């Protein structure tokens, strides 16, 4: 969005997912918002022994693109070392890895194919704080430095769970029409 405050506008707030918006409302929204859509296929799941089911308190999202000639080494590093190191961190719940299938951006009615990192990992943790020390250590091994040092692209963020919506609040989200 050009102006993040647009999300508080009547137009934007009127999108409830149940009511068909008017053409003029859609035009104003598409003029003011950028839609980044990505489709992934799951490639690996690690569940910590004894970890709870359901959403975790923290999620680290790491979308990474190794150099083309290092993709195999990158995958081996993730499977053989990185997940194992993260699994020993306090509060580790699960890690899931994905590979990009397709992505598009719709910005002011213009569709484009953005340069998106090919791999996505979601690492979930419980506890009062993220285990920053252990996370840092996971990036300091010789193998991690070799693999991560040559990244072509990266998008990394961390998120805190604020609310879990009860299933009855979902309405028909995701249901076929």
């Amino acid at each position: 969005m050009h102006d993040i405050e647009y999300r508080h506008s009547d137009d934007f707030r009127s999108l409830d997912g149940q009511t068909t918006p008017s053409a003029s409302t859609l035009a104003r929204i598409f003029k003011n918002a950028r839609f980044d859509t990505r489709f992934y296929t799951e490639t690996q799941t690690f569940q910590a022994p004894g970890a709870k089911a359901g959403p975790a308190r923290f999620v680290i999202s790491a979308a990474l693109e190794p150099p083309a000639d290092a993709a195999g080494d990158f995958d081996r590093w993730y499977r053989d070392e990185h997940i194992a190191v993260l699994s020993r961190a306090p509060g580790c719940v699960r890690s899931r890895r994905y590979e990009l299938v397709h992505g598009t951006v719709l910005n002011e009615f213009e569709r484009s194919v953005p340069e998106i990192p090919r791999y996505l990992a979601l690492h979930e943790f419980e506890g009062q704080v993220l285990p920053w020390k252990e996370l840092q250590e996971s990036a300091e091994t010789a193998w991690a430095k070799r693999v991560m040092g040559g990244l072509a692209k990266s998008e990394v963020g961390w998120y805190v769970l604020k609310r879990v919506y009860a299933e009855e609040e979902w309405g028909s989200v995701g249901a076929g029409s």
Side-chain angles (χ1 to χ4, degrees):
M1 290 183 186
H2 303 291
D3 177 6
I4 194 70
E5 293 307 312
Y6 182 74
R7 73 190 196 289
H8 297 298
S9 71
D10 289 340
D11 281 342
F12 196 79
R13 293 171 63 100
S14 73
L15 295 176
D16 62 8
Q18 309 301 310
T19 310
T20 302
S22 70
S24 63
T25 297
L26 279 177
R28 285 191 300 275
I29 289 169
F30 277 91
K31 192 75 172 149
N32 285 285
R34 177 180 187 269
F35 297 91
D36 185 335
T37 307
R38 300 175 186 194
F39 295 91
Y40 292 90
T41 186
E42 189 171 354
T43 60
Q44 181 183 8
T45 299
F46 167 82
Q47 180 84 17
K52 71 170 194 157
R57 178 170 161 79
F58 297 102
V59 175
I60 296 174
S61 168
L64 307 171
E65 178 78 35
D69 63 345
D73 194 34
F74 178 81
D75 184 64
R76 280 188 301 281
W77 166 72
Y78 238 107
R79 288 180 185 280
D80 297 343
E81 180 182 272
H82 193 57
I83 297 290
V85 172
L86 290 179
S87 72
R88 292 189 297 268
C92 176
V93 174
R94 75 188 59 82
S95 289
R96 290 180 278 198
R97 295 180 55 218
Y98 304 89
E99 187 169 352
L100 182 69
V101 174
H102 180 73
T104 62
V105 167
L106 185 60
N107 191 22
E108 296 188 18
F109 298 106
E110 296 289 326
R111 186 171 302 281
S112 62
V113 178
E115 292 190 23
I116 300 169
R118 181 175 166 191
Y119 302 102
L120 171 67
L122 300 175
H123 305 291
E124 301 174 50
F125 294 88
E126 281 300 325
Q128 293 305 307
V129 296
L130 277 167
W132 291 113
K133 178 179 171 267
E134 290 82 357
L135 293 170
Q136 181 64 36
E137 289 171 356
S138 76
E140 292 177 348
T141 69
W143 198 357
K145 287 178 181 178
R146 185 176 73 243
V147 170
M148 300 292 280
L151 288 177
K153 293 182 219 101
S154 67
E155 298 173 358
V156 178
W158 61 277
Y159 307 90
V160 179
L161 178 70
K162 293 294 184 182
R163 179 176 176 198
V164 175
Y165 291 87
E167 192 168 340
E168 53 271 6
E169 292 180 272
W170 298 354
S172 61
V173 174
S177 20

